[in-house]
Amino acid sequence: MIMLFPYALSALPETLNTQWDEPAFAPYRNAFPEEHASSKEALTAHVQDLMSRDVKIAYLKSLQGYLWQSGYASGDLKAPLFPDVAPAIAAWRKSGVQIMIYSSGSVAAQKLLFQHTNGDPADLIPEISDFFDTVNAGPKQDATSYAQILAEHPDIPAEKWLFLSDNVNEVKAAKEAGMQSFVVDRPGNAALSVEDREKHRVVTSFAEI
Ligand SMILES: CSCCC(=O)C(=O)COP(=O)(O)O
């Protein structure tokens, strides 16, 4: 299985060599700070540095989405979902629950991901009613971002929302804005402290919700 971040890094050199001066690539290149967009080498070094530190900055997330497009289109990339995710989404939708995504990945990248999952059906876009990222909502560890999402859906009271995340700081921020929020503890995630487990509900599968 090809992973998203390595795919983006592997697609970068050819994209830069073939599209550096193309108008279609200009918005992605021009979004980078000038000193990093001055040459292919500078941009490559900056992207490698940001990705090695998993920096969730909008101009990187936008470029990643662009780089993933060809992988999804060719079938080389598929978004791997935990086996409990698609059945839970189907059950929640059946009972009238709205599903929305809030990720540091750009909205364009989110849409590609949920359109090309390893599930059956692979395309989960019809199940999802809205998408938020750091541009249209804000940073995921800021309570104001969750307030912004709530403001976009004034018909749904804050306490009716359930925000799921593997990041305790995001869970704290969502709760501060009045949402319910659980930590989803998946294999490979950062270890949770005893205090985190006391303060927040922790689930290991969507089937527990
Ligand atoms: C949905 S696009 C791929 C995920 C991504 O780029 C990312 O940074 C994940 O961030 P999240 O806030 O969803 O943990």
Side-chain angles (χ1 to χ4, degrees):
M1 180 207 318
I2 304 178
M3 305 297 280
L4 286 175
F5 277 37
Y7 183 90
L9 279 179
S10 71
L12 185 61
E14 197 193 332
T15 304
L16 297 186
N17 286 331
T18 57
Q19 300 186 42
W20 186 250
D21 290 317
E22 293 296 322
F25 188 63
Y28 300 96
R29 175 181 161 188
N30 294 341
F32 276 68
E34 222 175 300
E35 70 269 29
H36 298 302
S38 58
S39 69
K40 295 173 200 168
E41 294 70 28
L43 194 130
T44 301
H46 187 48
V47 167
Q48 286 170 342
D49 172 51
L50 293 173
M51 286 180 64
S52 70
R53 295 184 288 124
D54 194 17
V55 175
K56 295 180 183 297
I57 194 156
Y59 61 77
L60 171 70
K61 294 290 152 192
S62 173
L63 175 66
Q64 284 176 328
Y66 185 72
L67 296 170
W68 287 326
Q69 268 179 44
S70 57
Y72 285 121
S74 67
D76 284 348
L77 267 185
K78 283 193 197 313
L81 299 181
F82 286 104
D84 51 283
V85 172
I89 288 178
W92 293 335
R93 290 292 302 121
K94 209 171 163 193
S95 62
V97 171
Q98 290 188 60
I99 313 288
M100 303 186 201
I101 306 300
Y102 179 27
S103 169
S104 303
S106 68
V107 167
Q110 295 172 31
K111 289 183 176 170
L112 281 170
L113 187 152
F114 284 99
Q115 200 181 353
H116 300 91
T117 75
N118 61 352
D120 182 18
D123 183 2
L124 294 183
I125 295 289
E127 310 299 339
I128 301 170
S129 55
D130 213 347
F131 296 85
F132 295 97
D133 63 12
T134 62
V135 175
N136 66 4
K140 289 181 75 184
Q141 300 191 13
D142 288 5
T144 52
S145 305
Y146 298 84
Q148 170 66 28
I149 292 172
L150 289 171
E152 291 292 324
H153 293 275
D155 51 316
I156 313 173
E159 65 277 9
K160 292 271 184 197
W161 291 71
L162 172 60
F163 175 68
L164 302 170
S165 175
D166 61 352
N167 185 312
V168 176
N169 292 326
E170 295 174 5
V171 168
K172 281 183 194 157
K175 284 179 162 178
E176 209 180 309
M179 293 181 181
Q180 300 178 71
S181 185
F182 300 163
V183 181
V184 184
D185 187 16
R186 298 288 196 180
N189 286 6
L192 294 166
S193 67
V194 173
E195 192 193 352
D196 290 337
R197 289 183 182 278
E198 278 169 5
K199 280 205 174 134
H200 308 290
R201 177 154 168 213
V202 179
V203 297
T204 56
S205 159
F206 284 10
E208 294 167 37
I209 298 166

